[in-house]
Amino acid sequence: MVRSPHVVVIGLTGGIGSGKSTVAALLAERGAAVVDADDLAHEVMEPGEPAYAAVVERFGSAVVAGDGRVHRRALAGVVFADDAARADLEAIVHPVVSVAMSARIAEAGKTHQVVVAVVPLLVEAGWEIGDAVVVVDCPEDIAVRRLVDERGMDPADARRRVAAQATREQRLARADHVIHNDGTLADLRRQVEEGSAYVGVTAEFVARRGDPYSEITKVADEINADAVLVGASASAGHKLIGSLAVRLVRAGKWPVTVVP
């Protein structure tokens, strides 16, 4: 993937119903470009696009709507009821989406300092993307309730879709920064503000391309915040950057808004 050395790419992921789209929209309000893998998956399955013929060949006319396009709800009904079918769909779509994602990130990086790549199946696909991974997390029962209340899903179907994805523990193990979306919208906005500061600090380090520990020490010295480094020796990389970012924004020492 070719992009400016001063552009930071954040991989944003989370389970279905976790609130990834809301978080992405809030980050976009703060100046980040957003590239969504789900949107790209829909695009590559349009007639004439790279994945269309293979999807129709594998799943047949039952997943083709009257206008010739892939009927996404019918396709979802098939793949979420059959693990092998879902694996076949992912084998067709994921490589094509990966290529499209790289191209879109490179294009967005020409005009933005921060690009957020929303990849719902980042963990399942084993993708290594960007400079850091932000996970939007919530308990499974909350996710199921959202799917039922906000998307009109049948409860059993909602539970199947949640169960078909990686576990919370698997996603959290990949996280450099976590946004907990189990409260109010105001709670989420506050965490996104802190997450935006995390992104801003990460972007600063990407721009400097220096040693992370020495750069953290330098920033801490600049704000006379020696306490920030308490326990730092037990941390490393982005987790330490994230901890510093949250402390900085709470202290009013770091700008919250990420400017493209």
Side-chain angles (χ1 to χ4, degrees):
M1 179 173 63
V2 179
R3 58 185 169 92
S4 165
H6 300 309
V7 174
V8 63
V9 178
I10 301 296
L12 179 66
T13 192
I16 186 171
S18 64
K20 298 180 299 296
S21 297
T22 302
V23 171
L26 291 171
L27 286 171
E29 289 178 3
R30 288 158 175 78
V34 174
V35 180
D36 194 313
D38 270 354
D39 292 342
L40 295 177
H42 297 160
E43 289 181 21
V44 301
M45 288 192 292
E46 288 291 310
E49 295 301 321
Y52 178 81
V55 169
V56 174
E57 180 180 359
R58 167 61 180 84
F59 296 98
S61 60
V63 301
V64 180
D67 61 1
R69 302 169 72 187
V70 172
H71 193 301
R72 296 200 299 269
R73 181 169 294 183
L75 181 60
V78 173
V79 301
F80 282 105
D82 183 336
D83 290 345
R86 187 170 65 255
D88 287 346
L89 178 64
E90 291 172 354
I92 294 169
V93 173
H94 282 181
V96 183
V97 170
S98 178
V99 172
M101 174 71 75
S102 294
R104 293 290 176 86
I105 289 173
E107 186 65 25
K110 296 177 182 178
T111 55
H112 290 75
Q113 181 191 14
V114 176
V115 180
V116 176
V118 184
V119 186
L121 300 183
L122 184 147
V123 173
E124 293 88 336
W127 284 10
E128 297 292 336
I129 188 167
D131 300 290
V133 172
V134 174
V135 171
V136 184
D137 180 61
C138 75
E140 291 184 0
D141 60 330
I142 292 179
V144 169
R145 186 170 70 245
R146 287 174 181 156
L147 295 175
V148 172
D149 294 345
E150 299 172 14
R151 303 192 194 180
M153 284 189 186
D154 174 79
D157 185 32
R159 285 191 289 271
R160 276 196 300 272
R161 295 203 184 195
V162 169
Q165 297 187 334
T167 65
R168 292 176 69 192
E169 292 75 19
Q170 288 171 324
R171 281 190 293 270
L172 292 172
R174 285 290 309 277
D176 296 304
H177 184 76
V178 180
I179 294 176
H180 300 280
N181 187 20
D182 54 1
T184 66
L185 181 58
D187 293 333
L188 183 63
R189 285 184 179 277
R190 174 185 55 76
Q191 289 190 75
V192 169
E193 287 178 355
E194 294 176 351
S196 186
Y198 163 77
V199 171
V201 174
T202 306
E204 179 71 10
F205 293 157
V206 168
R208 295 184 188 186
R209 295 294 180 184
D211 174 68
Y213 187 84
S214 65
E215 295 295 350
I216 290 168
T217 303
K218 186 185 300 181
V219 174
D221 287 344
E222 289 172 359
I223 65 170
N224 297 316
D226 293 338
V228 169
L229 296 177
V230 171
S233 59
S235 304
H238 291 298
K239 294 185 188 301
L240 180 54
I241 295 171
S243 175
L244 173 62
V246 170
R247 290 172 182 266
L248 287 171
V249 73
R250 286 177 176 168
K253 300 292 187 179
W254 190 271
V256 172
T257 302
V258 178
V259 180

